[in-house]
Amino acid sequence: GAVVSQHPSWVICKSGTSVKIECRSLDFQATTMFWYRQFPKQSLMLMATSNEGSKATYEQGVEKDKFLINHASLTLSTLTVTSAHPEDSSFYICSASGLAYEQYFGPGTRLTVT
Amino acid sequence: GENVEQHPSTLSVQEGDSAVIKCTYSDSASNYFPWYKQELGKRPQLIIDIRSNVGEKKDQRIAVTLNKTAKHFSLHITETQPEDSAVYFCAAGGIQGAQKLVFGQGTRLTINP
Protein backbone atom coordinates (compact mmCIF):
# COMPACT_ATOMS: atom_id res chain seq x y z
CA GLY A 1 0.00 0.00 0.00
CA ALA A 2 0.87 3.68 -0.10
CA VAL A 3 3.49 4.81 2.42
CA VAL A 4 3.54 8.23 4.03
CA SER A 5 6.31 9.34 6.34
CA GLN A 6 6.52 12.25 8.75
CA HIS A 7 9.47 13.91 10.38
CA PRO A 8 10.15 14.45 13.18
CA SER A 9 8.10 11.92 15.13
CA TRP A 10 8.28 14.11 18.20
CA VAL A 11 9.63 17.54 19.02
CA ILE A 12 9.91 19.68 22.12
CA CYS A 13 10.37 23.40 21.65
CA LYS A 14 10.29 26.53 23.71
CA SER A 15 7.44 28.99 23.58
CA GLY A 16 7.92 31.58 20.84
CA THR A 17 10.00 29.41 18.53
CA SER A 18 8.94 27.89 15.22
CA VAL A 19 8.78 24.22 14.32
CA LYS A 20 8.69 22.62 10.87
CA ILE A 21 7.09 19.23 10.24
CA GLU A 22 7.64 17.34 7.00
CA CYS A 23 5.23 14.95 5.34
CA ARG A 24 6.42 12.76 2.47
CA SER A 25 4.70 10.28 0.20
CA LEU A 26 7.34 7.63 -0.40
CA ASP A 27 5.95 5.48 -3.20
CA PHE A 28 3.33 7.58 -4.94
CA GLN A 29 2.74 11.11 -6.09
CA ALA A 30 0.44 12.98 -3.73
CA THR A 31 -1.60 15.56 -5.58
CA THR A 32 -3.25 16.54 -2.33
CA MET A 33 -2.06 16.46 1.25
CA PHE A 34 -4.08 17.13 4.35
CA TRP A 35 -2.94 18.31 7.77
CA TYR A 36 -4.81 17.30 10.90
CA ARG A 37 -4.45 18.05 14.58
CA GLN A 38 -5.49 15.57 17.22
CA PHE A 39 -5.75 16.40 20.92
CA PRO A 40 -5.65 13.56 23.48
CA LYS A 41 -8.70 11.29 23.32
CA GLN A 42 -10.26 13.40 20.58
CA SER A 43 -10.93 13.00 16.91
CA LEU A 44 -8.90 14.23 13.98
CA MET A 45 -9.59 17.84 13.14
CA LEU A 46 -8.69 18.94 9.63
CA MET A 47 -6.54 22.06 9.62
CA ALA A 48 -5.88 22.56 5.93
CA THR A 49 -5.79 21.00 2.50
CA SER A 50 -2.82 21.57 0.25
CA ASN A 51 -2.41 20.90 -3.45
CA GLU A 52 0.98 20.78 -5.10
CA GLY A 53 2.01 24.17 -6.38
CA SER A 54 -0.90 26.14 -4.99
CA LYS A 55 -1.85 27.83 -1.75
CA ALA A 56 -3.32 25.75 1.02
CA THR A 57 -7.00 25.95 1.90
CA TYR A 58 -7.47 26.41 5.62
CA GLU A 59 -10.44 25.28 7.68
CA GLN A 60 -12.46 27.84 9.54
CA GLY A 61 -10.76 28.92 12.74
CA VAL A 62 -7.25 27.86 11.70
CA GLU A 63 -4.82 30.78 11.53
CA LYS A 64 -2.99 30.59 8.23
CA ASP A 65 -0.27 32.98 9.40
CA LYS A 66 0.44 30.73 12.36
CA PHE A 67 0.32 27.39 10.56
CA LEU A 68 2.28 27.83 7.33
CA ILE A 69 1.81 25.06 4.81
CA ASN A 70 3.97 24.52 1.76
CA HIS A 71 3.40 21.80 -0.85
CA ALA A 72 6.31 22.39 -3.17
CA SER A 73 6.43 18.97 -4.80
CA LEU A 74 4.24 15.94 -5.40
CA THR A 75 5.98 14.09 -2.58
CA LEU A 76 6.56 16.70 0.09
CA SER A 77 4.43 19.03 2.16
CA THR A 78 5.58 20.96 5.21
CA LEU A 79 3.73 22.48 8.14
CA THR A 80 5.47 25.21 10.09
CA VAL A 81 4.04 26.19 13.46
CA THR A 82 5.22 29.74 13.95
CA SER A 83 5.70 31.37 17.36
CA ALA A 84 4.51 28.21 19.06
CA HIS A 85 2.74 28.40 22.41
CA PRO A 86 1.83 25.67 24.93
CA GLU A 87 -1.72 25.52 23.58
CA ASP A 88 -0.27 24.41 20.22
CA SER A 89 0.98 21.22 21.85
CA SER A 90 -0.77 18.41 20.04
CA PHE A 91 -0.41 15.41 17.74
CA TYR A 92 -0.10 16.62 14.15
CA ILE A 93 -0.86 14.09 11.42
CA CYS A 94 -0.66 14.47 7.68
CA SER A 95 -2.35 12.38 5.05
CA ALA A 96 -1.72 12.10 1.34
CA SER A 97 -3.95 11.30 -1.55
CA GLY A 98 -3.00 10.48 -5.12
CA LEU A 99 -5.25 10.22 -8.12
CA ALA A 100 -7.77 8.18 -6.16
CA TYR A 101 -9.75 9.34 -3.17
CA GLU A 102 -8.24 7.20 -0.42
CA GLN A 103 -6.16 9.01 2.18
CA TYR A 104 -3.06 7.45 3.67
CA PHE A 105 -1.83 8.79 6.97
CA GLY A 106 1.63 9.57 8.20
CA PRO A 107 2.74 8.34 11.64
CA GLY A 108 2.18 11.73 13.24
CA THR A 109 4.34 14.26 15.05
CA ARG A 110 3.89 14.91 18.73
CA LEU A 111 4.64 18.56 19.44
CA THR A 112 5.24 19.75 22.99
CA VAL A 113 5.73 23.46 23.59
CA THR A 114 7.24 24.37 26.95
CA GLY B 1 -20.82 21.54 5.65
CA GLU B 2 -20.69 17.87 6.51
CA ASN B 3 -21.25 16.73 10.08
CA VAL B 4 -20.57 13.16 11.23
CA GLU B 5 -21.90 11.75 14.48
CA GLN B 6 -20.51 8.49 15.86
CA HIS B 7 -21.87 6.22 18.60
CA PRO B 8 -21.07 4.83 21.05
CA SER B 9 -18.04 6.69 22.36
CA THR B 10 -16.90 3.61 24.26
CA LEU B 11 -17.74 -0.04 23.71
CA SER B 12 -16.66 -3.05 25.70
CA VAL B 13 -17.37 -6.58 24.46
CA GLN B 14 -16.31 -10.07 25.40
CA GLU B 15 -13.77 -11.77 23.19
CA GLY B 16 -15.55 -13.69 20.47
CA ASP B 17 -18.64 -11.49 20.53
CA SER B 18 -19.56 -8.97 17.84
CA ALA B 19 -19.13 -5.20 17.99
CA VAL B 20 -21.16 -2.62 16.10
CA ILE B 21 -20.33 1.06 15.72
CA LYS B 22 -22.73 3.46 14.05
CA CYS B 23 -22.32 6.78 12.27
CA THR B 24 -24.69 9.28 10.74
CA TYR B 25 -23.81 12.04 8.29
CA SER B 26 -25.60 15.16 7.16
CA ASP B 27 -24.47 15.94 3.61
CA SER B 28 -26.29 13.87 1.02
CA ALA B 29 -23.49 14.68 -1.46
CA SER B 30 -21.00 12.57 0.52
CA ASN B 31 -20.37 9.29 -1.26
CA TYR B 32 -17.28 7.80 0.33
CA PHE B 33 -17.27 6.36 3.85
CA PRO B 34 -14.02 4.95 5.24
CA TRP B 35 -13.36 3.45 8.65
CA TYR B 36 -10.03 3.88 10.41
CA LYS B 37 -8.48 2.05 13.34
CA GLN B 38 -6.07 3.96 15.53
CA GLU B 39 -3.95 2.42 18.24
CA LEU B 40 -2.54 4.63 20.97
CA GLY B 41 0.04 7.07 19.65
CA LYS B 42 -0.07 5.65 16.12
CA ARG B 43 -1.45 6.66 12.77
CA PRO B 44 -5.02 5.93 11.72
CA GLN B 45 -5.12 2.89 9.46
CA LEU B 46 -7.80 2.34 6.86
CA ILE B 47 -9.56 -0.94 7.62
CA ILE B 48 -12.50 -0.84 5.25
CA ASP B 49 -14.40 1.66 3.13
CA ILE B 50 -17.59 1.81 1.15
CA ARG B 51 -18.88 3.91 -1.68
CA SER B 52 -22.44 5.08 -2.00
CA ASN B 53 -23.26 2.78 -4.90
CA VAL B 54 -22.82 -0.21 -2.58
CA GLY B 55 -24.98 -1.16 0.39
CA GLU B 56 -22.63 -3.57 2.11
CA LYS B 57 -19.01 -4.62 1.97
CA LYS B 58 -17.24 -7.38 3.86
CA ASP B 59 -13.61 -8.24 4.47
CA GLN B 60 -13.14 -11.32 6.63
CA ARG B 61 -14.37 -10.38 10.13
CA ILE B 62 -15.13 -6.78 9.24
CA ALA B 63 -18.17 -5.50 7.39
CA VAL B 64 -19.64 -2.09 6.68
CA THR B 65 -23.24 -1.32 5.79
CA LEU B 66 -24.57 1.90 4.29
CA ASN B 67 -28.09 3.28 4.21
CA LYS B 68 -27.97 6.35 1.96
CA THR B 69 -31.62 7.18 2.46
CA ALA B 70 -31.23 7.39 6.20
CA LYS B 71 -27.68 8.76 5.93
CA HIS B 72 -26.12 6.27 8.26
CA PHE B 73 -23.44 3.61 8.04
CA SER B 74 -22.15 1.03 10.46
CA LEU B 75 -19.06 -1.02 11.16
CA HIS B 76 -19.49 -4.62 12.22
CA ILE B 77 -16.68 -6.69 13.71
CA THR B 78 -17.41 -10.35 14.32
CA GLU B 79 -15.49 -12.89 16.42
CA THR B 80 -13.67 -10.08 18.17
CA GLN B 81 -10.11 -10.61 19.35
CA PRO B 82 -7.97 -8.69 21.88
CA GLU B 83 -6.00 -7.10 19.04
CA ASP B 84 -9.20 -5.44 17.87
CA SER B 85 -8.97 -3.15 20.90
CA ALA B 86 -8.36 0.38 19.59
CA VAL B 87 -10.14 3.60 18.73
CA TYR B 88 -12.23 3.43 15.58
CA PHE B 89 -13.17 6.47 13.50
CA CYS B 90 -15.74 6.73 10.77
CA ALA B 91 -15.50 9.45 8.15
CA ALA B 92 -17.45 10.84 5.24
CA GLY B 93 -16.21 12.48 2.08
CA GLY B 94 -16.35 12.49 -1.71
CA ILE B 95 -14.77 10.45 -4.47
CA GLN B 96 -14.31 13.16 -7.08
CA GLY B 97 -10.58 13.65 -6.77
CA ALA B 98 -8.96 14.08 -3.38
CA GLN B 99 -11.63 15.49 -1.15
CA LYS B 100 -11.47 16.20 2.53
CA LEU B 101 -12.85 13.78 5.05
CA VAL B 102 -14.96 14.72 8.05
CA PHE B 103 -14.38 12.38 10.95
CA GLY B 104 -16.68 11.11 13.66
CA GLN B 105 -15.77 11.51 17.30
CA GLY B 106 -14.32 8.02 17.62
CA THR B 107 -15.24 4.87 19.50
CA ARG B 108 -12.89 3.30 22.02
CA LEU B 109 -13.39 -0.44 21.63
CA THR B 110 -12.16 -2.74 24.37
CA ILE B 111 -12.19 -6.51 23.94
CA ASN B 112 -12.28 -8.33 27.24
CA PRO B 113 -10.56 -11.74 27.30
Side-chain angles (χ1 to χ4, degrees):
Chain A
V3 180
V4 178
S5 71
Q6 240 178 284
H7 179 80
S9 56
W10 60 269
V11 58
I12 301 173
C13 72
K14 292 190 176 182
S15 186
T17 62
S18 295
V19 174
K20 180 185 283 189
I21 302 170
E22 292 185 349
C23 177
R24 293 182 185 272
S25 56
L26 299 184
D27 55 359
F28 69 103
Q29 293 186 325
T31 53
T32 304
M33 287 186 171
F34 303 87
W35 286 95
Y36 296 83
R37 182 166 50 183
Q38 186 177 33
F39 291 108
K41 297 186 178 181
Q42 293 190 23
S43 187
L44 290 88
M45 297 301 297
L46 180 66
M47 299 174 66
T49 302
S50 75
N51 292 293
E52 184 263 339
S54 60
K55 289 184 179 181
T57 301
Y58 290 81
E59 293 299 301
Q60 192 173 10
V62 178
E63 300 174 60
K64 61 182 179 182
D65 293 331
K66 180 171 184 60
F67 299 100
L68 302 179
I69 291 172
N70 183 279
H71 193 162
S73 77
L74 286 172
T75 59
L76 173 65
S77 176
T78 61
L79 166 68
T80 301
V81 183
T82 63
S83 186
H85 288 94
E87 57 266 31
D88 298 323
S89 298
S90 188
F91 193 50
Y92 291 87
I93 311 177
C94 70
S95 71
S97 183
L99 296 178
Y101 43 84
E102 293 95 346
Q103 289 187 31
Y104 299 95
F105 283 85
T109 297
R110 185 160 303 284
L111 170 64
T112 302
V113 184
T114 61
Chain B
E2 176 65 275
N3 182 52
V4 178
E5 296 287 333
Q6 183 173 345
H7 298 282
S9 57
T10 60
L11 179 60
S12 181
V13 302
Q14 288 298 120
E15 182 178 355
D17 289 350
S18 296
V20 180
I21 303 171
K22 299 182 179 182
C23 289
T24 60
Y25 62 100
S26 61
D27 189 349
S28 57
S30 290
N31 50 14
Y32 174 58
F33 307 94
W35 285 88
Y36 289 88
K37 174 183 180 183
Q38 186 180 30
E39 297 178 9
L40 188 63
K42 298 193 175 179
R43 77 183 83 195
Q45 291 194 309
L46 179 67
I47 56 172
I48 196 167
D49 58 13
I50 192 168
R51 291 174 54 174
S52 60
N53 58 348
V54 176
E56 182 174 356
K57 184 177 178 181
K58 189 173 182 179
D59 182 4
Q60 299 183 342
R61 298 187 295 109
I62 295 173
V64 57
T65 58
L66 171 65
N67 183 327
K68 259 192 88 66
T69 302
K71 295 200 195 74
H72 66 72
F73 56 112
S74 301
L75 176 71
H76 304 252
I77 306 175
T78 59
E79 301 173 24
T80 53
Q81 300 167 3
E83 53 264 36
D84 294 329
S85 296
V87 178
Y88 292 80
F89 292 98
C90 64
I95 63 170
Q96 299 302 319
Q99 296 194 10
K100 66 180 185 181
L101 294 174
V102 177
F103 283 80
Q105 295 86 348
T107 296
R108 182 170 300 276
L109 175 63
T110 302
I111 308 301
N112 301 308

